Amino acid sequence: MPIESGSSAAARQVKPKRKPHAISIRRTNSSEQERVSSQRDMLEGQGAMMSAVCEEVCVQSVEDSKLPPSIRQTLLELFGQIEREFENLYIENLELRREIETLNDRLTAEGQTVDGGDLSKGQLKAKASHSTSQLSQKLKTTYKASTSKIVSSFKTTTSRAVCQLVKEYIGHRDGIWDVSVTRLQPVVLGTASADHSAMLWSIETGKCLLKYVGHAGSVNSVKFHPSEQVALTASGDQTAHIWRYIVQLPIPQPVIDSNQMSGEEEVDFSDKDEADGDVECPSESPTIRVPSTTLKSHQGVVIAADWLVGGKQVVTASWDRTANLYDVETSELVHSLTGHDQELTHCCTHSTQRLVVTSSRDTTFRLWDFRDPSIHSVNVFQGHTDTVTSAVFTVGDNVVSGSDDRTVKVWDLKNMRSPIATIRTDSAVNRISVSANQRIIALPHDNRQVRLFDMSGVRLARLPRSNRQGHRRMVCCTAWSEDNPTCNLFSCGFDRQAIGWNINIPALLQEK
């Protein structure tokens, strides 16, 4: 029920609500039913009184707090949402009880006149037990399906056996905007930072293998060629660079699992303006200063770039409201993709088809089709109410989009009128990623969280964040690497570090 913050007297007028009880099925005579009904009514009355008192205390504590009015109003709205969710569960519980009573009466009648003959007490008991077992299983399945979403929305912690921090990659001197993983051997991690550099890392050891410093502005994106040791970076200097790298992986050292420490509890970090000391990339790591190819046609910040399938063309997205398609060999501009009304925020290409998706601050994202060399078509997706921060392809015929409106939407390319699933969160969503094999969506948030969802919108887990691990500030991007046996999810943030996580997919899906 909605709660007004203007009057404490009005807020204390709380409608009593009955607390749902466990469902049980058994055959009783009329006197026993009356006795059970009387006990149930007494317990429900006590539950309603306790619910009213607790709700009044919550409202009064919010009103007496010293929080700013905007935060206080947000808390009151959240309390109202929680109350409405539990009210829906209570109504479903009542309907299930009525169905149970009807089926119990039917079972009793059938037990008294089965095949027109008298049954022995043992036979009647066996039949009733079998029917009750089937009914119990049916109700259990129905109840679980109807309440799975609300239960998952209140899940606050995740078993460390499911999501474990494996390695931290520290060396940048400013926030990290993007993270990416190579598609071929040797498998390395790439990061793009506001400190004007991009770095390549050993996934197993966390050692910096190479540093690229050819840009004159913030490096906003890093992507690896699908079949060669070549990287593509986009920058605030209005250019995109293509550069070759050669790395040699160091010998991995034994990993100490920080999650085995006893007494560790989930607590939030306080925001820090700076990391504890400036850690530089080791001096022995090689540095590349000049790109092999420079792509420059934009009149504004190049916020993202990606390789088209085959690696012969690249697409860039810019704050000048356009996306450009370039030929890698000649560095020539092939197409200028116009149509967005405001700055672009991201671009992504399909892994097997010549498809490009661009997102923008104009609350839309666009699908560009280059499968026909003679023409290219465009489709506009309108489903968000704020900046679309990213849109990415899945292995199938889906696109997943994230927005500052705190939602993530899953779209079917064959039916683009409306999303097939919507995920609602409590914080703005940044650059998302979808695992290729398991189709799990990783959502990085402004509030320093990283959450995992399936394609139907059911929440699977939240990556642990405590006083010893996790991001201290906004998480900007995530990237999957399912072929790597040690870490298969990476995140980066404005706390100057990237983090490698081990996700136990079978255990994760089992908890679902």
Side-chain angles (χ1 to χ4, degrees):
M1 61 178 291
I3 301 175
E4 299 180 1
S5 60
S7 170
S8 60
R12 287 194 293 269
Q13 294 178 358
V14 182
K15 178 181 177 181
K17 292 166 53 182
R18 294 185 177 181
K19 182 178 180 181
H21 296 279
I23 300 175
S24 62
I25 304 175
R26 60 174 183 169
R27 302 175 53 199
T28 60
N29 55 33
S30 59
S31 61
E32 186 176 359
Q33 288 178 349
E34 292 176 358
R35 179 176 59 82
V36 172
S37 177
S38 175
Q39 293 177 350
R40 184 177 61 189
D41 292 341
M42 181 179 65
L43 291 173
E44 289 177 349
Q46 293 176 353
M49 292 177 61
M50 293 178 63
S51 176
V53 171
C54 291
E55 192 166 351
E56 182 176 355
V57 170
C58 290
V59 173
Q60 189 65 34
S61 62
V62 171
E63 292 179 350
D64 295 341
S65 69
K66 297 181 180 180
L67 295 173
S70 59
I71 297 179
R72 190 184 312 134
Q73 182 63 29
T74 301
L75 289 176
L76 292 175
E77 291 175 358
L78 292 175
F79 290 151
Q81 292 177 13
I82 293 173
E83 182 178 13
R84 286 192 293 273
E85 295 289 355
F86 278 101
E87 186 175 0
N88 293 335
L89 288 178
Y90 174 70
I91 293 173
E92 293 178 5
N93 211 343
L94 290 179
E95 293 176 354
L96 289 174
R97 286 181 183 176
R98 282 192 288 269
E99 184 179 350
I100 290 171
E101 292 175 359
T102 302
L103 292 174
N104 263 337
D105 294 340
R106 187 184 304 172
L107 288 174
T108 303
E110 291 177 356
Q112 291 174 350
T113 57
V114 177
D115 296 333
D118 294 334
L119 293 176
S120 65
K121 184 176 181 181
Q123 290 173 325
L124 181 62
K125 183 176 181 181
K127 180 176 178 63
S129 175
H130 177 69
S131 301
T132 302
S133 175
Q134 290 180 332
L135 174 62
S136 176
Q137 184 62 35
K138 178 181 178 181
L139 291 173
K140 199 176 295 182
T141 304
T142 303
Y143 189 77
K144 181 177 180 181
S146 64
T147 59
S148 61
K149 289 189 178 181
I150 179 63
V151 170
S152 66
S153 66
F154 288 104
K155 189 188 296 182
T156 57
T157 59
T158 302
S159 171
R160 289 182 175 83
V162 176
C163 305
Q164 287 186 331
L165 185 151
V166 178
K167 184 66 64 175
E168 294 178 333
Y169 307 89
I170 302 174
H172 282 291
R173 300 176 62 87
D174 208 336
I176 303 176
W177 292 118
D178 197 23
V179 62
S180 183
V181 183
T182 57
R183 305 179 191 179
L184 68 161
Q185 297 295 332
V187 179
V188 297
L189 178 71
T191 54
S193 172
D195 64 4
H196 300 191
S197 73
M199 291 186 183
L200 304 187
W201 307 82
S202 166
I203 291 178
E204 288 77 14
T205 66
K207 179 182 178 181
C208 176
L209 303 176
L210 184 145
K211 186 174 183 179
Y212 178 73
V213 294
H215 284 291
S218 169
V219 184
N220 302 318
S221 171
V222 57
K223 289 291 184 292
F224 293 101
H225 193 280
S227 59
E228 300 178 19
Q229 290 189 347
V230 179
L232 168 68
T233 51
S235 173
D237 61 12
Q238 304 183 4
T239 68
H241 288 181
I242 298 175
W243 43 277
R244 292 187 174 272
Y245 64 89
I246 298 177
V247 294
Q248 184 175 2
L249 296 181
I251 300 175
Q253 301 295 324
V255 178
I256 300 176
D257 187 0
S258 61
N259 295 321
Q260 301 298 329
M261 299 179 181
S262 60
E264 181 180 341
E265 297 181 355
E266 295 278 336
V267 295
D268 285 346
F269 267 110
S270 59
D271 285 335
K272 297 182 180 180
D273 292 333
E274 296 183 357
D276 297 334
D278 289 332
V279 181
E280 297 186 6
C281 191
S283 57
E284 63 269 17
S285 299
T287 300
I288 299 177
R289 303 182 182 276
V290 180
S292 57
T293 302
T294 300
L295 307 175
K296 47 184 179 181
S297 295
H298 287 292
Q299 304 302 315
V301 169
V302 183
I303 195 65
D306 202 357
W307 301 88
L308 264 72
V309 58
K312 295 182 179 180
Q313 292 180 325
V314 300
V315 62
T316 57
S318 172
W319 284 4
D320 63 9
R321 306 182 183 183
T322 67
N324 287 342
L325 185 67
Y326 294 93
D327 181 272
V328 173
E329 185 176 353
T330 63
S331 305
E332 293 182 355
L333 177 64
V334 179
H335 289 294
S336 183
L337 311 180
T338 60
H340 282 292
D341 295 330
Q342 296 188 38
E343 295 92 336
L344 273 64
T345 57
H346 191 244
C347 65
C348 180
T349 60
H350 196 280
S351 59
T352 60
Q353 303 183 58
R354 290 176 55 81
L355 298 174
V356 176
V357 63
T358 57
S359 54
S360 170
R361 293 187 60 187
D362 62 11
T363 74
T364 71
F365 65 95
R366 294 176 177 243
L367 174 66
W368 310 83
D369 190 344
F370 296 99
R371 288 176 292 187
D372 188 339
S374 59
I375 60 173
H376 67 273
S377 61
V378 58
N379 293 282
V380 182
F381 291 76
Q382 297 176 329
H384 292 284
T385 60
D386 206 338
T387 297
V388 182
T389 53
S390 64
V392 299
F393 290 101
T394 67
V395 173
D397 295 327
N398 296 116
V399 171
V400 184
S401 60
S403 171
D404 280 343
D405 64 8
R406 303 183 179 183
T407 67
V408 173
K409 297 179 184 289
V410 182
W411 307 78
D412 187 349
L413 293 178
K414 299 177 182 177
N415 181 11
M416 301 174 290
R417 289 190 294 266
S418 61
I420 59 177
T422 298
I423 301 170
R424 303 189 183 280
T425 68
D426 59 354
S427 180
V429 181
N430 296 314
R431 292 183 179 178
I432 59 180
S433 62
V434 181
S435 64
N437 297 334
Q438 302 297 335
R439 292 165 62 86
I440 298 175
I441 310 170
L443 309 185
H445 291 284
D446 277 359
N447 66 359
R448 302 173 288 171
Q449 303 283 0
V450 178
R451 295 183 175 94
L452 306 181
F453 288 81
D454 67 11
M455 295 293 290
S456 62
V458 176
R459 177 176 165 181
L460 302 177
R462 173 176 66 83
L463 299 191
R465 183 168 60 86
S466 69
N467 58 347
R468 285 191 176 90
Q469 61 179 335
H471 288 285
R472 301 181 180 90
R473 302 182 69 180
M474 175 180 73
V475 187
C476 300
C477 181
T478 56
W480 290 90
S481 175
E482 296 171 279
D483 295 331
N484 183 25
T486 305
C487 307
N488 56 7
L489 179 63
F490 298 90
S491 61
C492 65
F494 223 54
D495 55 0
R496 309 182 183 183
Q497 67 173 340
I499 298 178
W501 305 89
N502 177 266
I503 312 297
N504 188 332
I505 298 297
L508 185 69
L509 298 178
Q510 184 177 4
E511 285 196 359
K512 171 184 174 182

